[in-house]
Amino acid sequence: MQDIKILQIGLGPLGIKIANFIKERRGLTTVAAVDKNPDLAGKDLGIICGGEASGILIQSELNQAVAKEKPDIAVLTTVSDMQRITPQIEEIVALGIPIVSTCEELCYPWDAAPSLAKRIDEAAKQNKVAVVGTGVNPGFLMDALPTFLTAVCQDVTSVQVNRYQDAQFRRLPFQQKIGAGLTPTEFEQKKQDGSLRHVGLTESMQFIAHRMGWKLTKTEDIIEPILAEADLQTKDLSIQKGQARGVRQVGNGYVGEDIKVHLVFQATVGEPQSYDEIIIRGNPDIISRIPGGVNGDVATCAIVLNAIPQVLRAQSGLQTMADIPLVSFFS
Amino acid sequence: MQDIKILQIGLGPLGIKIANFIKERRGLTTVAAVDKNPDLAGKDLGIICGGEASGILIQSELNQAVAKEKPDIAVLTTVSDMQRITPQIEEIVALGIPIVSTCEELCYPWDAAPSLAKRIDEAAKQNKVAVVGTGVNPGFLMDALPTFLTAVCQDVTSVQVNRYQDAQFRRLPFQQKIGAGLTPTEFEQKKQDGSLRHVGLTESMQFIAHRMGWKLTKTEDIIEPILAEADLQTKDLSIQKGQARGVRQVGNGYVGEDIKVHLVFQATVGEPQSYDEIIIRGNPDIISRIPGGVNGDVATCAIVLNAIPQVLRAQSGLQTMADIPLVSFFS
């Protein structure tokens, strides 16, 4: 079978990691690359990825990138929000190219951004291609996976997901991303400017609620620091008592007074255990636990690639992980 | 929205339980029922299910059952094997009725019964309906769920599933089904006549292997007794030292010398722990555990009903749980 030809759009750290993952995979080949960053224009993708020259030069414009050969699918790793991704998607699907994207808000935009979702859906249908947003979270651990686990339930009254991560041995950028080492005031500032927020918690709640048939009357997305009770030291970072050692983000999806969806993401330096846990209350209760948790860096890149065959099989339009056939590793 | 109209075919214990589950569910209604058992002919489904008269009389013939009104889907709970289910399916799809079935071998028949699978696929396509086999096992715990968990893997080298159940507090028929209380000789006889076998282990292995891109060169399906090391007593059953207290069934799927898929189903009186565990080796490893395990009685009935909306959305033909959109509870 011929390789699936991939157009990569967005060559930031995530796009580069995906490019390297594609190289490892049988059945997938990157044939073109686009990034608006002028520093990358004309550079060889292979070199940018830390390897040998590939002959694929990064283009600034989509039209240039696809001039020679039409790709089978675009992997879009540019932005996290619907506002900015929508025109990008419209430009790509207009060329008849389906899309899988890591855009967090695209994973389930029907409630949070209905008019943009509709715009994408119509553009995709008009061009007879599917558009899917996915990732490990949102896209899997806190929405698609708990939703699939309810398949064995005759009734479901609530869904809870706990994702706890010990950042002790993670890279410095991850520790900084979760606010480790910030004073409470600095943490609050970063919370206000949005740079601490895990994007997609509300979308994950709406994904689950939609499938369970619950009309959420209110959603909450609460961010707070977890403060160090003693001085802490990692390889790269000193955290003093009273500074943040990480973040706790809680999503609550209500129907009336009842919390029907409860999502907890807590990542700190010195978290006693890393794990992903799903607690479904219903008939029967289902509790599922992944000890150690799922490493987000590998998983997000992997699930985007694993989704490709199913996006190509999917009906046209804006689809979610709940709409396309079961995504899995393939080779 | 109007209820989905269900034709139930097969009113044994499983069919009756499903009928009662349908009554509990919003959005689903049984409109007709068929069973070849002459003792059931003309009986009211509601009465047979232990409730009030429903006005739905069990018919011996499919044509009689659908004469008044065409159902949206058939729930087929008659037999476990492809040989006998195939003509039943052909008769149903000829009327333009899609099917979801608990037939174990139907969950993934493409390798074990390719010519029958092809017959069903062609009949379904010709009549523009989908046919899906599902259940908790096969259909979910040992195939679809581990397959979905590989979605976050960049590489997978093997898949193992352990399903351990303590039968101490289960009903007597379940304890008997797993051979508890049999002498080794009696166990061997029942093993030979096939009545101890959990049907579908090979199909689950082939389901997983197909998606992972592994061509299995050999499969094993090994059944052995677990013998009591001391006298045991349950509410309904006395087991003497040296008698079987349950069964261990192991499926091995090989590629050359390597076991790529390893499925263990062990159900005994006095099993220390009940749990369902998935161990995926690859990048990354994923270990997932459901403490307490999933109760098969509730789960099989539930997943059949939960699959219905996705079977109705699916492309026509013989489909598997890997082909249709994500199955989940709905209301």
Side-chain angles (χ1 to χ4, degrees), chain A residues 151 211-212 306 326 328 331, chain B residues 151 211-212 289 306 326 328 331:
Chain A
R211 263 305 183 91
M212 300 300 107
N306 289 332
L326 208 69
S328 70
S331 70
Chain B
R211 263 306 182 90
M212 299 301 105
R289 208 171 214 264
N306 289 332
L326 208 69
S328 71
S331 70

Side-chain angles (χ1 to χ4, degrees), chain B residues 3 11 34 56 93 98 117 123 147 167 169-170 174 179 181 189 198 216 220 225 231 248 270-271 283 300 309:
Chain B
D3 275 9
L11 275 305
V34 175
I56 298 164
V93 298
T147 297
F169 302 106
R170 298 291 292 271
F174 182 83
Q189 281 166 353
H198 161 71
L216 297 183
E220 292 171 343
D231 291 357
R248 177 180 174 84
E271 192 63 37
N283 176 22
T300 288

Side-chain angles (χ1 to χ4, degrees), chain B residues 89-124:
Chain B
I89 289 174
E90 288 173 322
E91 191 188 353
I92 300 161
V93 298
L95 301 170
I97 302 169
I99 298 173
V100 58
S101 174
T102 54
C103 172
E104 285 89 343
E105 292 185 359
L106 187 65
C107 287
Y108 191 83
W110 293 103
D111 293 333
S115 62
L116 295 173
K118 197 159 169 255
R119 252 175 69 186
I120 293 173
D121 187 49
E122 283 171 1

Side-chain angles (χ1 to χ4, degrees), chain A residues 69-262:
Chain A
E69 140 173 77
K70 187 179 161 185
D72 297 310
I73 191 161
V75 172
L76 180 61
T77 53
T78 50
V79 294
S80 296
D81 63 287
M82 283 293 287
Q83 198 67 49
R84 287 183 294 163
I85 203 92
T86 301
Q88 297 180 12
I89 290 174
E90 287 173 323
E91 190 188 355
I92 301 161
V93 299
L95 300 171
I97 302 169
I99 299 173
V100 58
S101 173
T102 54
C103 173
E104 285 90 343
E105 292 185 358
L106 187 66
C107 286
Y108 192 83
W110 292 102
D111 293 333
S115 62
L116 295 174
K118 197 158 170 258
R119 251 174 71 183
I120 292 173
D121 187 49
E122 284 171 0
K125 280 183 175 146
Q126 206 177 324
N127 292 285
K128 297 192 172 52
V129 295
V131 174
V132 175
T134 190
V136 67
N137 181 28
F140 188 74
L141 285 175
M142 285 190 160
D143 37 45
L145 182 58
T147 296
F148 193 46
L149 280 168
T150 70
V152 294
C153 296
Q154 164 70 353
D155 191 25
V156 176
T157 53
S158 70
V159 175
Q160 175 172 355
V161 185
N162 297 312
R163 181 158 163 78
Y164 282 78
Q165 298 193 321
D166 178 16
Q168 177 82 36
F169 303 106
R170 299 290 293 270
R171 289 172 305 117
L172 183 61
F174 182 81
Q175 294 173 348
Q176 289 169 331
K177 197 179 135 196
I178 62 171
L182 299 181
T183 67
T185 310
E186 290 168 339
F187 189 98
E188 183 60 28
Q189 281 165 352
K190 281 201 178 267
K191 179 180 149 182
Q192 292 304 330
D193 76 21
S195 60
L196 272 169
R197 189 170 80 99
H198 161 71
V199 181
L201 216 57
T202 299
E203 283 76 6
S204 289
M205 289 192 273
Q206 290 163 336
F207 180 119
I208 293 170
H210 171 71
R211 263 305 183 91
M212 300 300 107
W214 302 330
K215 284 200 194 313
L216 297 183
T217 49
K218 184 174 77 171
T219 61
E220 292 172 343
D221 185 341
I222 302 160
I223 299 173
E224 58 188 36
I226 303 289
L227 302 180
E229 295 181 350
D231 291 357
L232 287 170
Q233 182 66 45
T234 75
K235 191 165 75 69
D236 302 308
L237 195 67
S238 295
I239 304 169
Q240 286 164 26
K241 183 181 169 179
Q243 290 182 337
R245 61 182 175 90
V247 64
R248 177 181 174 84
Q249 188 169 350
V250 176
N252 291 316
Y254 290 82
V255 175
E257 298 293 305
D258 299 330
I259 296 181
K260 303 292 278 185
V261 189
H262 181 60

